[in-house]
Amino acid sequence: MPERISCFVMSGGVGSRLWPLSREDNPKQFHDLAGHGSMLVNTVRRLKARPAGDTPVHVIASERHSERVRADLAGIDLAGGHAIFEPVGRNTAAAVAVAALETIATHGDGLVLVVPSDHEISTEEQFWNTVEKGVPAAEAGRLVVFGIPPDSPETGYGYIESVWKGNVRDVARFVEKPGLEMAKAYVASGTFFWNAGIFLFRAGAMRAAFREHQAAIWQKTECAFAAAATEVSGTYLPIEQYSTIPSASIDYAIMEHASGIAMVPASFYWSDLGSWQSLLDISPTDGNGNVVIGDVVAIDCERSYLRSQGRLLSVIGLRDVAIVSTADATFVGPVAKSQEVKRIVEQLEKSGRLETKFTPAHARVLQPGAWRERVAHWLFEETLP
């Protein structure tokens, strides 16, 4: 009988590289970007498709999205799992610590699989075949990551350098998003893989890694978890304790420091759908290589991502350009620079613009008092350490 794997979906991100479609109140994971349901629902269904073995599925999400999470997951059997809501975002290290703590509390030193909520993966069968290859290493106490064989010098992904050891490789080092020339060298070497952000481990092994490398994150997360309130709708972490957790990514906090990490090369197609370029690559196109969504008239355009939510968008003579128009904002730029949308979001936030936080549809239904309360809540979060 295959060992139980407790699965945790990290759904606290904003997806700012897909602005203006993705915003803080309606982020990327709740959108249907690949044409077959929301990214969150597709991720949960992929985890539930494990051929054999007990596989409870949990979702770690922002409390501000609790209603949306409950609506998306309505009618889906989580096999004993449930939603866990963060009052504020503290990055992926805290989320992974919560996953380990929940597993220890429920199943002891069991296997844990942590995945992002907003990635496109080719097939459930290939996904689970890859994960199961990492189970022996995880059972032996190693932290296991999954690498994507790169097919281009992508500068928007982190990389993993590995040493050949058969199906399971040793990780030599993690590398943050490189420049173009370095990315080309990585792809040519054959020893570098894209970091898929998927982790498999024993709960006790991750606890030991936190205690060695990030004791403060573990201790503060442990305190918050102990004070959490569990209701029928999910577990709610308390803001008083959770807001004190240092904010860090799991890669920076643990993976770049831990020893003996194993990597399994993925056999599935993968995309983080983190840019308009990635959506252009995976979406159905017209005869000229354009992705056209919504009320769009395109003449003499090639290899462009053209999307309108509402008003007519008419374009002519464009090549390799992304145009995304919503009710209150429009993005225009070369597809090759779509990874840099975050710079626009950062500039808007510095200017105090709310277009990065609220969609017009959500803003219209807020009563004046509720609007002020929501804005005050966001401003409070942004002052946290």
Side-chain angles (χ1 to χ4, degrees), residues 2 14 20 44 104 119 134 139 142 166 177 181 200 210 236 302 351 369:
V14 175
V44 171
I104 290 169
H119 291 181
E139 287 181 328
R142 301 180 72 182
K177 300 170 184 177
E181 293 306 313
L200 178 68
F210 268 102
Y236 294 81
E302 296 179 3
S351 303

Side-chain angles (χ1 to χ4, degrees), residues 248-303:
S249 71
I250 187 62
D251 293 299
Y252 176 79
I254 299 297
M255 296 299 170
E256 293 182 5
H257 306 287
S259 60
I261 298 177
M263 191 206 77
V264 178
S267 63
F268 50 80
Y269 169 82
W270 170 92
S271 173
D272 74 342
L273 298 187
S275 67
W276 302 118
Q277 176 69 69
S278 64
L279 288 177
L280 180 62
D281 292 340
I282 65 101
S283 302
T285 59
D286 63 17
N288 294 315
N290 303 302
V291 173
V292 179
I293 300 173
D295 191 5
V296 178
V297 174
I299 298 174
D300 190 28
C301 295
E302 296 179 3
R303 302 178 304 279

Side-chain angles (χ1 to χ4, degrees), residues 26-366:
N26 192 27
K28 168 187 169 187
Q29 59 268 28
F30 298 120
H31 290 271
D32 180 358
L33 298 177
H36 41 78
S38 79
M39 305 302 296
L40 174 60
V41 169
N42 288 331
T43 302
V44 171
R45 287 176 176 161
R46 183 182 310 122
L47 296 174
K48 283 175 52 62
R50 187 185 182 199
D54 186 12
T55 314
V57 178
H58 304 76
V59 176
I60 302 175
S62 170
E63 188 176 330
R64 74 178 68 157
H65 302 142
S66 59
E67 292 183 9
R68 181 63 183 271
V69 169
R70 288 194 291 268
D72 273 20
L73 300 182
I76 299 179
D77 180 8
L78 299 180
H82 61 274
I84 302 172
F85 295 112
E86 299 175 301
V88 291
R90 306 315 286 157
N91 216 315
T92 55
V96 171
V98 166
L101 284 161
E102 171 67 28
T103 302
I104 290 169
T106 308
H107 302 297
D109 189 17
L111 288 179
V112 183
L113 179 68
V114 179
V115 304
S117 63
D118 53 3
H119 291 181
E120 175 72 4
I121 289 175
S122 54
T123 73
E124 297 161 349
E125 180 180 3
Q126 289 174 311
F127 171 79
W128 276 111
N129 283 343
T130 299
V131 171
E132 297 289 359
K133 289 178 182 177
V135 166
E139 287 181 328
R142 301 180 72 182
L143 307 181
V144 181
V145 298
F146 297 87
I148 309 299
D151 57 13
S152 63
E154 176 62 58
T155 59
Y157 299 153
Y159 284 73
I160 304 168
E161 184 178 16
S162 65
V163 179
W164 176 251
K165 292 282 186 177
N167 286 336
V168 176
R169 299 183 174 211
D170 291 339
V171 170
R173 59 174 173 146
F174 292 84
V175 181
E176 288 301 313
K177 300 170 184 177
L180 180 58
E181 293 306 313
M182 188 63 70
K184 289 179 179 178
Y186 290 167
V187 173
S189 73
T191 61
F192 283 83
F193 292 74
W194 292 334
N195 186 353
I198 300 172
F199 308 98
L200 178 68
F201 51 85
R202 280 207 173 277
M206 185 58 75
R207 175 177 58 189
F210 268 102
R211 285 176 171 172
E212 179 179 358
H213 302 291
Q214 294 290 343
I217 293 178
W218 180 262
Q219 292 167 359
K220 291 178 181 295
T221 308
E222 191 173 30
C223 289
F225 186 80
T230 298
E231 303 174 3
V232 173
S233 59
T235 295
Y236 294 81
L237 296 159
I239 191 169
E240 293 81 8
Q241 289 90 350
Y242 205 76
S243 62
T244 67
I245 301 171
S247 179
S249 71
I250 187 62
D251 293 299
Y252 176 79
I254 299 297
M255 296 299 170
E256 293 182 5
H257 306 287
S259 60
I261 298 177
M263 191 206 77
V264 178
S267 63
F268 50 80
Y269 169 82
W270 170 92
S271 173
D272 74 342
L273 298 187
S275 67
W276 302 118
Q277 176 69 69
S278 64
L279 288 177
L280 180 62
D281 292 340
I282 65 101
S283 302
T285 59
D286 63 17
N288 294 315
N290 303 302
V291 173
V292 179
I293 300 173
D295 191 5
V296 178
V297 174
I299 298 174
D300 190 28
C301 295
E302 296 179 3
R303 302 178 304 279
S304 294
Y305 188 91
L306 309 170
R307 184 176 190 132
S308 176
Q309 289 188 317
R311 293 176 298 175
L312 169 66
L313 173 63
S314 56
V315 294
I316 188 169
L318 297 181
R319 305 287 185 275
D320 305 304
V321 168
I323 301 180
V324 180
S325 179
T326 67
D328 65 336
T330 301
F331 167 76
V332 181
V335 172
K337 285 187 171 289
S338 59
Q339 290 278 4
E340 300 184 29
V341 177
K342 291 182 75 171
R343 294 172 58 190
I344 294 177
V345 173
E346 291 168 358
Q347 181 62 46
L348 292 172
E349 289 179 340
K350 288 179 182 178
S351 303
R353 300 292 296 260
L354 296 179
E355 286 90 342
T356 63
K357 301 184 183 299
F358 299 106
T359 56
H362 288 189
R364 283 197 299 271
V365 300
L366 288 174

